[in-house]
Amino acid sequence: MPPQVRVQLGMSVDGFIAGPDNDLGWLHRDGVTDTFTPFLGTVGAMLMGRNTHDIVAAMEHPWVYGEIPVLVATRSPETLIPGAPTVRAVTGSIAGLIEEAAAAAAAAGDDKCVYLDGGALVRSALDAELVDELILTVVPVVLGGGVSLFTGVTGRTELALVGSREIGGGLVELRYKVQAAAVGPTP
């Protein structure tokens, strides 16, 4: 059985995963249960969008992904400056990229997943019916603009709620299994 493809993202109440100018400062709150570190323990490989990689690599903190192989989807692999030794550029269709990430995750262990990160990649994977689970942490803030998670998805994706929990600071983690992706154009 191939590794599961999971999305794990923080999101504002109005559906943004980054604020204007790619601001992520609103994501960090005091008094919140760390759900990210345990999630990383389930990850065998990560498929990350180029913009997301460049933003994370430029941050002034240690690389949070440790030894997890990070495949960065890019149209310009020759210009990628890896944020860590475990980072490498990949190109191709969304199906091919996920297949490559799944092979890397499978090599890490039978129970490891592919962690998919980056708005454009997530939207493409949803449209291609390649996402198994969405884990969304809703942050109690309205940004009014920025990088939208779902704007641009071309089809309706049915989800089944499999869990929800308050994790402190007014944040709520929602876990959804994808039921049927891209069943038709969004009205």
Side-chain angles (χ1 to χ4, degrees):
M1 184 166 169
Q4 294 277 300
V5 176
R6 295 187 177 122
V7 173
Q8 201 269 9
L9 292 168
M11 181 176 75
S12 67
V13 170
D14 53 344
F16 294 98
I17 57 174
D21 299 319
N22 293 311
D23 173 38
L24 299 176
W26 55 275
L27 285 169
H28 306 288
R29 304 288 173 116
D30 292 328
V32 176
T33 301
D34 176 14
T35 60
F36 187 68
T37 302
F39 172 74
L40 279 183
T42 71
V43 174
M46 182 172 188
L47 179 58
M48 178 184 280
R50 173 66 183 265
N51 189 51
T52 302
H53 169 270
D54 290 350
I55 291 166
V56 173
M59 291 180 171
E60 295 181 13
H61 60 71
W63 186 250
V64 299
Y65 308 108
E67 297 301 313
I68 296 170
V70 178
L71 289 68
V72 178
T74 179
R75 290 182 193 96
S76 304
E78 67 283 351
T79 64
L80 179 71
I81 300 171
T86 57
V87 174
R88 66 183 171 92
V90 293
T91 61
S93 68
I94 188 65
L97 294 171
I98 288 179
E99 185 177 311
E100 192 170 344
D110 290 338
D111 59 345
K112 299 294 185 178
C113 74
V114 172
Y115 172 20
L116 184 62
D117 192 15
L121 271 179
V122 170
R123 290 187 294 274
S124 293
L126 282 169
D127 283 340
E129 302 182 31
L130 296 170
V131 175
D132 296 300
E133 185 174 13
L134 289 171
I135 305 165
L136 304 173
T137 300
V138 181
V139 180
V141 62
V142 174
L143 296 176
V147 178
S148 171
L149 178 55
F150 298 115
T151 298
V153 171
T154 61
R156 185 176 66 230
T157 301
E158 298 291 332
L159 307 172
L161 182 68
V162 294
S164 64
R165 62 181 172 152
E166 196 269 331
I167 60 171
L171 280 73
V172 177
E173 181 186 74
L174 304 168
R175 296 181 74 100
Y176 294 99
K177 287 283 185 192
V178 175
Q179 297 300 296
V183 295
T186 303

